[in-house]
Amino acid sequence: MEPLAPISKIAEWGPNTVIAVAALLGVGFGFVLERAGFGNARTLAGQWYGYNFAVLRVMFTAIVVAMLGLFGLVALGVVDLSLVYVNDTFLWPQLIGGLIFGVGFAVGQYCPGTAVVACATGKIDAMVFMGGFFGGLIAFFFAYDTLETFYLSGDLGRVLLPDALGIPVGVVVVGVVAIALGAFALTHVLDRKFAAKRATP
Amino acid sequence: MADSIPAAPLEPPVPVEVSPAPEPIAAIPAAQLEVPAPAEVPAAPVIGAEAKPEPQPYWNSYKAGAVLGLVLLAAFVFTGRGLGASGAVTRMAAYSLQKVEASLHGGTSAEADTLAKNNTYTGQYLKGPADPLDDFLVYMLVGVVVGGFLSGVLARRASFEVVHGPHSNIGRRLALAGLGGVLSAFGARLARGCTSGQALTGGATLALGSWVFMLAVFAGGYAIAWFVRKEWI
């Protein structure tokens, strides 16, 4: 069948429709982040210290649901994957950027999306985090010329895991689901272990 | 056997049958992991608001994750794009830099030749005729603020407070929050996205670089978490 989605592109939505839908998606995004407990640094910190694995559980569940939906609809011919935005791969800056971001995450206990939600519910530490984030952005802007060679290194373009690993997309999807289920099981084992430790006088 | 009888607990007793894991978590006195703290160690000092009704419990993580996944899937199906947060903030920072600089040099007439406009990175947002804030991700971020606020208010979780660990204090918490913000921004820009735009969205589309980013975030987080553990446990 002819692909029906991404709807905005197939149906050629005007800019105002896209804006309205973007804002609505944002409302849903912000609402769920807050409901998950991510508007509070204490929830997020639990990931690193083993008292609350909400970060891993929420994130991997969301990835699995969206991935199954997306690639399922692609397999059915409903979604044209070539019209879906896929982040380009720049291997080295994404690796180093991820490490720096992870350090910032565990030091500040927010990431940008969760900090915005926390700001919206009055968390002053999140407002300071966003102040620091602004400062870090300005620093990056002025460091950019120095960093540009590195920023553009490892450029592989639009590469999906199935292409990179040379295995069929269905196998990768099943593999991601299996890894997520394994990770969930591990967090419950750790929960019991920590609960037992707490119960020991 | 005499040595199987525990002496006075000068040190935290280690049960014989449980091999003590050499993780930092093992050194934590058990009680500190419990959320309810006694009055002299307030878990979350609330500035201003004193007596207020109990907040509702958070959603189960799998339920929250499933709903978040459906929002992300809706973004793919309706717009062909995912969710994001740091991209919008980056545009706002570029815009603010431009405005502040121009106002320091005499209003809008000075806007043509600012450091921000001549900067290689921010120039991409500021040089063209388009409004740098007229962007998908900026509208989405406005929605995130609204959605977060709605959820927080409806669940009675909205209050002005500094969230910090039981043994930290407001000053240390704010200093580390600011530092974390600086580092996150630098990392997010290098990686072209953050937890939402790279890890979540790129992860679901199976983008190679996004998975590299996600694993690096967890690696970086666990590598540093031990050094700042006293802030939270």
Side-chain angles (χ1 to χ4, degrees):
Chain A
M1 66 190 271
E2 284 294 299
L4 303 169
I7 297 171
S8 69
K9 299 189 180 171
I10 307 281
E12 295 178 6
W13 281 357
N16 289 338
T17 315
V18 176
I19 286 169
V21 171
L24 277 177
L25 289 167
V27 172
F29 184 29
F31 193 92
V32 185
L33 286 181
E34 207 287 328
R35 291 282 139 156
F38 292 177
N40 188 310
R42 198 175 298 107
T43 309
L44 299 157
Q47 178 65 36
W48 315 112
Y49 302 110
Y51 64 79
N52 187 339
F53 290 105
V55 170
L56 187 143
R57 288 174 187 158
V58 171
M59 211 165 124
F60 272 69
T61 306
I63 288 174
V64 163
V65 167
M67 173 191 70
L68 288 173
L70 175 65
F71 287 95
L73 292 173
V74 169
L76 292 172
V78 177
V79 172
D80 181 350
L81 189 60
S82 70
L83 296 178
V84 174
Y85 174 77
V86 175
N87 304 64
D88 284 334
T89 294
F90 290 82
L91 214 47
W92 308 122
Q94 282 176 314
L95 177 68
I96 302 301
L99 287 171
I100 297 172
F101 186 89
V103 169
F105 193 168
V107 168
Q109 298 302 357
Y110 287 112
C111 51
T114 57
V116 166
V117 167
C119 287
T121 54
K123 304 298 178 279
I124 294 158
D125 48 323
M127 298 172 195
V128 174
F129 179 94
M130 286 313 293
F133 200 85
F134 244 68
L137 288 172
I138 306 282
F140 180 84
F141 297 157
F142 289 107
Y144 180 76
D145 284 337
T146 315
L147 294 169
E148 189 170 44
T149 312
F150 178 69
Y151 182 78
L152 299 172
S153 64
D155 179 3
L156 301 177
R158 179 179 163 125
V159 188
L160 275 61
L161 284 177
D163 314 324
L165 303 171
I167 44 182
V169 63
V171 177
V172 175
V173 166
V174 171
V176 169
V177 173
I179 289 168
L181 293 177
F184 297 153
L186 179 65
T187 63
H188 289 281
V189 169
L190 291 172
D191 270 351
R192 278 195 293 277
K193 193 176 141 194
F194 290 130
K197 242 185 239 301
R198 285 197 286 275
T200 313
Chain B
M1 299 277 281
D3 47 354
S4 71
I5 299 165
L10 295 171
E11 293 174 6
V14 178
V16 194
E17 65 279 6
V18 179
S19 65
E23 302 159 359
I25 204 81
I28 305 154
Q32 294 174 11
L33 288 172
E34 298 290 285
V35 179
E40 67 272 19
V41 190
V46 176
I47 298 170
E50 284 302 313
K52 54 200 293 278
E54 280 291 293
Q56 290 172 3
Y58 293 125
W59 277 356
N60 169 285
S61 295
Y62 297 112
K63 173 184 170 186
V67 177
L68 180 56
L70 291 176
V71 173
L72 177 55
L73 180 61
F76 290 144
V77 169
F78 284 104
T79 71
R81 299 191 56 171
L83 305 173
S86 59
V89 184
T90 305
R91 284 172 174 274
M92 289 177 190
Y95 176 83
S96 312
L97 189 64
Q98 163 82 349
K99 286 292 168 195
V100 168
E101 212 189 322
S103 71
L104 290 177
H105 293 97
T108 46
S109 58
E111 284 197 10
D113 190 34
T114 55
L115 280 175
K117 199 161 254 181
N118 293 322
N119 180 279
T120 319
Y121 197 87
T122 53
Q124 64 178 320
Y125 304 124
L126 302 170
K127 274 202 175 118
D131 181 347
L133 298 184
D134 182 17
D135 181 75
F136 183 87
L137 289 173
V138 176
Y139 298 114
M140 177 171 280
L141 195 73
V142 173
V144 171
V145 173
V146 173
F149 179 75
L150 271 179
S151 170
V153 167
L154 292 175
R156 296 189 289 273
R157 281 190 288 263
S159 62
F160 285 105
E161 60 177 300
V162 176
V163 177
H164 65 71
H167 307 291
S168 184
N169 59 50
I170 289 177
R172 282 206 334 249
R173 170 61 189 138
L174 293 185
L176 287 175
L179 176 65
V182 172
L183 292 168
S184 304
F186 213 86
R189 263 353 321 137
L190 261 188
R192 298 162 169 81
C194 60
T195 338
S196 354
Q198 283 290 353
L200 192 59
T201 302
T205 58
L206 301 177
L208 171 66
S210 299
W211 279 86
V212 170
F213 173 81
M214 193 191 323
L215 298 179
V217 169
F218 278 101
Y222 279 110
I224 201 71
W226 190 81
F227 296 97
V228 289
R229 66 194 184 282
K230 297 236 164 66
E231 300 302 313
W232 295 100
I233 54 178

